[in-house]
C-alpha cells in the first residue's frame, strides 16, 4: 500500500481527572469529533507535513533529522510519532502526511493525542506492521511523554480504542465499558486551558500538602469506581450525585474557575442529575447529566451562565482506516 487515510476520535473525561496522573483510575469516552490523516510513502528520504488547521504548510525535514532542531508547535506530535514508530520498527522511507480536523484544539478534546494515534496507525497500515491497539497506545503515549513530559495517557487510549474506557495511569488497565451516558450536555466555558500548567499547579499543591492531596485522589478513586458500577447499572441519578462530588474535589484541588462553577451550579439548579468540569479545568468544558425531559432547560441554564453548548456524540469508534 502506498497511501492510506485514517481517523481517530477526540475524548471527553467523565470521572477521575488529575488523580489519574498519579496512579488512580478515570473514566473517559471518545466523541464524534475526529482527526483525519492521510499518509503516503514517497521516494524521497523526507518527512513532509501539511496541517493547515494548526498553521503548518509545506513542512519538510530529512528522515534522519526527525526530532532534531526547532519543531513548530503544530508539527510536534506528528513528527515525533513518525520518529518513534520509525525507530521502533526500523523504517527509513520518505513519508508525506496531511491532517485535517473536525474540531478546534480550543475545546480540549485531545487533538494532539488523536493526531499522534492517527500517525502511528497510518504507518502501521502503510508498512503492514499489524499493530494492535495496545501497540499503537504504547508508541503514541511515549510520543506524548517525549513532548510534554506529563499526562496519564487516557486521551491516547480513547483515541486508539474508542468507546468508553475505565483507564488506569499509563494504560495499566484499559477496560471497555459497554456504553456511555445518555443526555450528557457539554458546555464550553469559552476559556482555553493549558493542561500542563494545571497539572503543575496541582503538583505544587501536592508538594505543599501531600497528605491532603493524596486524600483527595483517594476520594476521587472511590467515586470513579462507584461511577463505573453505576454506569453498568444505569443508575443515572446516583451517577449525577457522584459527578457533583467529583466536582467538589476538583475545586479542592484548585482547578475550577468561577465561570465553570457557575455553569455547573446553574445546570444542577435547572434539573441536571449532576455536573462537573471535564478535563484539566481552568477553562475548557463542563458536563451535565440530565434527565431527558430537562435537557433543554439544562442547556439554557448553561448558556445563561456564559457557556456555549457543544453538540457531541459519545462512545464512538477508535482509530480506524477510512
Ligand atoms: C486532562 O484532560 C486530564 C488530566 O488528568 C491529565 C491527564 O490525565 O493526562 C489533568
Amino acid at each position: 500500500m502506498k497511501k492510506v487515510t485514517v481517523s481517530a476520535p477526540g475524548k471527553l473525561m467523565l470521572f477521575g481527572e488529575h488523580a489519574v496522573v498519579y496512579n488512580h483510575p478515570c473514566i473517559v469516552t471518545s466523541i464524534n469529533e475526529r482527526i483525519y490523516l492521510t499518509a503516503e510513502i514517497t521516494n524521497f528520504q523526507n518527512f513532509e507535513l501539511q496541517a493547515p488547521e494548526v498553521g503548518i504548510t509545506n513542512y519538510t525535514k530529512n528522515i534522519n533529522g526527525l526530532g532534531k532542531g526547532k519543531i513548530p508547535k503544530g508539527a510536534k506530535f506528528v513528527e515525533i510519532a513518525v520518529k518513534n514508530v520509525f525507530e521502533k520498527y526500523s523504517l527509513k522511507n520518505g513519508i508525506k502526511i496531511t491532517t485535517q480536523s473536525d474540531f478546534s484544539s480550543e475545546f480540549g478534546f485531545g487533538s494532539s493525542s488523536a493526531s499522534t494515534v492517527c500517525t502511528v496507525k497510518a504507518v502501521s497500515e502503510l508498512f503492514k506492521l499489524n499493530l494492535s491497539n495496545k501497540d499503537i497506545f504504547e508508541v503514541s503515549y511515549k510520543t506524548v511523554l517525549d513532548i510534554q513530559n506529563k499526562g496519564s495517557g487516557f486521551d491516547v487510549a480513547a483515541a486508539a480504542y474508542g468507546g468508553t474506557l475505565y483507564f488506569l495511569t499509563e494504560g495499566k488497565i484499559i477496560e471497555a465499558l459497554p456504553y456511555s451516558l445518555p443526555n450528557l450536555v457539554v458546555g464550553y466555558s469559552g476559556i482555553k486551558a493549558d493542561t500542563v500548567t494545571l497539572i503543575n499547579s496541582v503538583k505544587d499543591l501536592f508538594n505543599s500538602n501531600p497528605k491532603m492531596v493524596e486524600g483527595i485522589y483517594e476520594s476521587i478513586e472511590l467515586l470513579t469506581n462507584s461511577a463505573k458500577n453505576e454506569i453498568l447499572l444505569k443508575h443515572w441519578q446516583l451517577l449525577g450525585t457522584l459527578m457533583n462530588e467529583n466536582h467538589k474535589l476538583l475545586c479542592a484541588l484548585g482547578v475550577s474557575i468561577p465561570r465553570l462553577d457557575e455553569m455547573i451550579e446553574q445546570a444542577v439548579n435547572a434539573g441536571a442529575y449532576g455536573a462537573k468540569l471535564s478535563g484539566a479545568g481552568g477553562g475548557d468544558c463542563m458536563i451535565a447529566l440530565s434527565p431527558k425531559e430537562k435537557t433543554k432547560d439544562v442547556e439554557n441554564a448553561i448558556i445563561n451562565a456564559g457557556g456555549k453548548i457543544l453538540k457531541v456524540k459519545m462512545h464512538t469508534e477508535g482509530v480506524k482506516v477510512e
Side-chain angles (χ1 to χ4, degrees), residues 11 13 17-18 20-21 151-154 195 199 279-280:
K11 53 75 191 161
M13 179 71 102
E17 48 272 268
H18 286 289
V20 67
V21 180
S152 63
F154 82 106
T195 302
I199 294 180

